[in-house]
Amino acid sequence: MSELGRTRLHTRRERRRRVGGILLALAGAAVAACVAAAVLTWLSTGELVWPSLRFRPLLAGGEGGLLGLPRAERSLGPSDHTVDDSAGAEMDRARRMQVPITMTWPAPAAWTALVALPLWLAWMRFAVRPVWARLRHPARHRALATPQQTRRSLGERAVRRTGRYTLPGTTRWMRLRLPTHAFGYHLGYHPPYPGRQPGSPWSRRAGPLGRGSRLWADWEQRIRVVARTGWGKTDRLLVPIIRTLPGPALIASIEPGIFERTVLARRYRRPTLLRPPLALLLRLLGRREPAVEHPVAIVDVSAPDRRYAAGYPQVQWSPIIDCRDYNIA
């Protein structure tokens, strides 16, 4: 249930490769720092001195066992009851916590970082980069279209170019003024490029609010949405498409939510006459087109006591009459 509504960009092998690359980079940084410190000591003193680690007790002061921990008390005999309790209390007060590991660094930290940086960059170039090279193109995206191919087929320019066929009664000047949603379905936004999510402030070729390029499908295309429950097929795709359809539409659905979220938008619509820049200019001038009421007819075949479309006019004609004739159908 935790994976419902989610998908993973990288496979398990790619995630392991990423973690391995991170560990390899950290190990390279540590080795580069140690080598730089040894080289600096050799240049300054003539002796090759490496950084060293030294382990010490966890508790400092007093007499303790392993890592400075208190020793186990032995059983007291008849002659051992004369132990000096004051000496034991003083020993306990002198014992304190300390870091069990110390490092001896033989060179100045600033010079060490200056010498280790080129070594670490070389390590990243020749050891870590080959490990991460295959992560640029995820395995689950290798068979998909590239962003350039997607924009060429489903971009705004492509869908507006089909207006010569989908809107045959318009001239070129009329099509130039029409908004893009008069030529096709708005499918959503394409990420600016692989590896960056829509909305990233560093995204390239970003559209409005950095969401990437808009994707459209013209009226002659058919759309099939394949997704499991909870992925937003209705709210993120179907409802916006139905609400922005410019003309009459025949909508069939078994979900009451689609009807409830789109019926008012279909009934009261503003004319789609101008592209957004021109429409915004007229709105600033106070010349906004009023909403026009359009007729809405319903075909509700559910039980009479469960009809959620009650109150709307019913369709008075059947679209399947005379469909036995192929030419009429």
Side-chain angles (χ1 to χ4, degrees), residues 28 31-37 39 114-125:
V31 172
C34 294
V35 171
V39 170
L114 185 63
V115 176
L117 182 60
L119 300 177
W120 184 69
L121 293 179
W123 174 266
M124 294 290 293
R125 172 62 179 84

Side-chain angles (χ1 to χ4, degrees), residues 19-275:
V19 174
I22 294 174
L23 296 178
L24 196 61
L26 295 177
V31 172
C34 294
V35 171
V39 170
L40 289 175
T41 56
W42 178 71
L43 293 177
S44 60
T45 63
E47 297 181 0
L48 195 63
V49 180
W50 294 88
S52 60
L53 293 176
R54 185 173 63 88
F55 295 92
R56 60 183 182 179
L58 183 62
L59 297 177
E63 182 182 359
L66 182 62
L67 296 179
L69 298 177
R71 298 181 183 275
E73 296 182 358
R74 59 186 180 86
S75 57
L76 298 178
S79 61
D80 294 334
H81 289 286
T82 60
V83 178
D84 189 357
D85 294 338
S86 61
E90 291 292 337
M91 186 179 298
D92 292 339
R93 284 195 295 267
R95 189 176 293 118
R96 65 181 185 278
M97 297 287 295
Q98 64 180 0
V99 180
I101 300 176
T102 59
M103 174 178 288
T104 302
W105 201 263
W111 285 102
T112 302
L114 185 63
V115 176
L117 182 60
L119 300 177
W120 184 69
L121 293 179
W123 174 266
M124 294 290 293
R125 172 62 179 84
F126 296 103
V128 181
R129 185 178 179 181
V131 177
W132 284 347
R134 296 179 62 86
L135 297 178
R136 296 180 180 178
H137 305 285
R140 292 175 176 172
H141 286 187
R142 290 172 188 170
L144 302 180
T146 62
Q148 294 77 12
Q149 295 172 343
T150 305
R151 286 192 293 266
R152 193 180 305 118
S153 302
L154 301 176
E156 182 176 353
R157 185 178 303 177
V159 72
R160 296 186 69 90
R161 194 181 299 118
T162 62
R164 295 177 294 175
Y165 312 104
T166 57
L167 301 175
T170 59
T171 62
R172 185 174 182 179
W173 172 246
M174 294 174 61
R175 293 193 297 270
L176 183 63
R177 294 183 300 167
L178 287 175
T180 307
H181 62 79
F183 297 88
Y185 310 97
H186 181 215
L187 303 179
Y189 298 88
H190 191 283
Y193 62 95
R196 291 287 174 85
Q197 297 296 327
S200 173
W202 300 279
S203 59
R204 297 179 296 182
R205 299 182 63 88
L209 303 180
R211 291 176 292 187
S213 303
R214 291 176 177 264
L215 300 182
W216 301 84
D218 61 80
W219 305 125
E220 298 296 328
Q221 296 183 0
R222 300 295 178 264
I223 302 174
R224 175 180 295 179
V225 183
V226 181
R228 57 186 178 183
T229 304
W231 279 33
K233 300 183 296 295
T234 301
D235 295 335
R236 298 172 60 184
L237 187 62
L238 296 180
V239 170
I241 286 177
I242 295 173
R243 291 171 65 94
T244 56
L245 288 175
L250 178 61
I251 304 168
S253 175
I254 61 174
E255 295 186 9
I258 292 182
F259 172 80
E260 296 172 354
R261 300 170 191 174
T262 60
V263 61
L264 293 180
R266 297 300 304 167
R267 187 173 182 178
Y268 301 99
R269 302 197 306 271
R270 299 182 185 274
T272 56
L273 301 178
L274 298 175
R275 301 187 69 174

